[in-house]
Amino acid sequence: TIMGDADNLQGTCCVVAAALTFALVALVVQSDSMPTVEATEARFMVCWAMSAFFMIRYRKERSLRWFGPPNLRPLLLLRGLLTFSFVALWWSALRQAPLGDCIAIIYCSPLLTVLLARWFLGEPVMRVFPLQMVLCLSGLLLIVNPPGLERLFDSTAQSESANSKKSDYTLVFAALVVAAWMPIVTRQTRDSSWIEVEHVTSVLAVFVLNPSRWLLHSAHWEQVKMPAINLSELALIMVAAVGSFAGVALQTKGYQLAETGKATMFNYIEIPFAYLLQHLGTSAPISMSGLIGAALILSACILGLIAQLTGSDSKQQLTAPLLATESEDP
């Protein structure tokens, strides 16, 4: 129907806008020079203010609890710990490796989620999963580009890399592992409202986890002092926080309006868009091996989506995490 086509178009536009927003947020985080501890605190402070507003607005109407249902609080705390860990690792990783490479790598986390869901929840695995694993592992190898492989693409790469700073992907892979666990834990909290989930996560991050992280960064207790705050840096992080929240809202609205399977395919526009932002907005060069690796990872994502759309593996969902893993809703 005409109305259905209009909803699909509007929903698809929302999903595309969300994907582009997540990539722009990553660029802002990478460009901002504010230390990650202070940046993370500002990010979760904004999310806490927003979740508190929605909690006050809808608490009576939806019978919400400030810290969620009592029987789900341990899981909500675990989910909050994972979310904070992901944001801390992800935002730190963005400053140690090229933007496009980071986003391409993080798109591999759903494959690890599939394995974890198989081992711990007994969920089925798609028949195309082995091929997806081969594509993703090959793509990761090309992006990381170890010295032996580097010489295959550029005979002068070894001498050039000796004079240039090598990208460090350690924190990206750590963030990938944390992101893989988040959908599993989040699903266990599905009986709790997303407002409760976000409020618990933000309170835990703002008042417990990030202050503890800040104290651990201080070498000695007597040296602990409040950090100097640069207003321009703070403003950029606030923009990133609001952008993350807006991206999740756009993505949620898009999935509500459009056919989920078809709309999901447009998530993957974030990978090429991230490389475009890397080229236009950063000084990091784009390597041929990195582009090929990203293409292989993108192929693995699309292959899984096609398997779902054909109906043969419709029970197994493999959705891209984007940066929505920062605040996944049940």
Side-chain angles (χ1 to χ4, degrees):
T1 63
I2 297 178
M3 184 63 69
D5 292 340
D7 285 345
N8 271 320
L9 177 60
Q10 183 180 351
T12 300
C13 290
C14 287
V15 171
V16 170
L20 302 183
T21 299
F22 291 136
L24 286 169
V25 167
L27 176 64
V28 170
V29 172
Q30 189 180 70
S31 304
D32 195 5
S33 58
M34 176 181 281
T36 54
V37 175
E38 289 83 355
T40 304
E41 183 74 6
R43 184 264 190 215
F44 280 108
M45 186 69 74
V46 171
C47 291
W48 175 56
M50 290 181 173
S51 61
F53 169 79
F54 284 112
M55 178 66 74
I56 294 171
R57 170 64 178 82
Y58 295 105
R59 187 180 176 214
K60 291 183 178 179
E61 180 181 328
R62 301 185 183 182
S63 301
L64 302 177
R65 298 172 182 265
W66 285 101
F67 296 99
N71 61 313
L72 292 179
R73 284 173 186 171
L75 284 172
L76 291 175
L77 291 174
L78 176 58
R79 194 267 187 187
L81 175 62
L82 289 173
T83 301
F84 172 80
S85 300
F86 173 79
V87 173
L89 290 168
W90 176 246
W91 282 23
S92 298
L94 286 170
R95 299 178 180 183
Q96 298 184 14
L99 177 65
D101 292 352
C102 288
I103 290 180
I105 289 173
I106 210 69
Y107 263 82
C108 295
S109 67
L111 294 180
L112 182 54
T113 300
V114 170
L115 290 177
L116 295 173
R118 174 63 177 173
W119 293 333
F120 292 99
L121 303 178
E123 293 185 1
V125 175
M126 291 188 296
R127 286 190 288 271
V128 298
F129 182 74
L131 179 56
Q132 287 182 288
M133 285 295 295
V134 171
L135 289 172
C136 276
L137 290 176
S138 301
L140 290 174
L141 187 63
L142 287 169
I143 290 175
V144 175
N145 201 15
L149 185 64
E150 194 173 22
R151 290 193 293 269
L152 295 177
F153 292 90
D154 187 353
S155 59
T156 64
Q158 188 174 15
S159 59
E160 292 178 355
S161 62
N163 299 321
S164 60
K165 184 180 178 181
K166 188 72 174 177
S167 298
D168 186 355
Y169 297 97
T170 304
L171 294 180
V172 184
F173 283 102
L176 182 152
V177 172
V178 174
W181 279 101
M182 288 177 62
I184 295 175
V185 175
T186 300
R187 179 161 178 76
Q188 305 308 308
T189 65
R190 60 186 178 275
D191 292 332
S192 180
S193 166
W194 72 270
I195 299 175
E196 295 171 325
V197 174
E198 291 306 317
H199 183 262
V200 171
T201 296
S202 299
V203 168
L204 186 65
V206 169
F207 297 106
V208 179
L209 296 177
N210 207 56
S212 301
R213 179 188 176 205
W214 175 55
L215 291 174
L216 289 175
H217 274 230
S218 301
H220 304 287
W221 284 92
E222 59 269 17
Q223 295 180 354
V224 174
K225 59 181 180 180
M226 292 300 295
I229 300 296
N230 184 296
L231 291 181
S232 62
E233 295 174 349
L234 181 61
L236 277 177
I237 290 301
M238 293 297 185
V239 169
V242 174
S244 296
F245 194 90
V248 173
L250 284 168
Q251 190 181 63
T252 301
K253 186 65 174 177
Y255 287 149
Q256 290 173 341
L257 292 174
E259 295 179 28
T260 304
K262 294 179 180 178
T264 299
M265 180 173 291
F266 289 91
N267 280 326
Y268 307 126
I269 196 175
E270 185 180 2
I271 295 178
F273 185 61
Y275 278 101
L276 176 63
L277 291 179
Q278 178 181 323
H279 175 68
L280 297 177
T282 74
S283 59
I286 298 178
S287 66
M288 179 58 68
S289 61
L291 282 178
I292 296 174
L296 291 176
I297 292 173
L298 183 60
S299 300
C301 295
I302 295 176
L303 179 63
L305 181 59
I306 292 174
Q308 294 176 55
L309 293 177
T310 57
S312 58
D313 292 297
S314 59
K315 293 183 179 180
Q316 177 63 49
Q317 293 187 351
L318 178 62
T319 57
L322 306 173
L323 299 190
T325 44
E326 294 184 16
S327 52
E328 286 187 25
D329 301 327

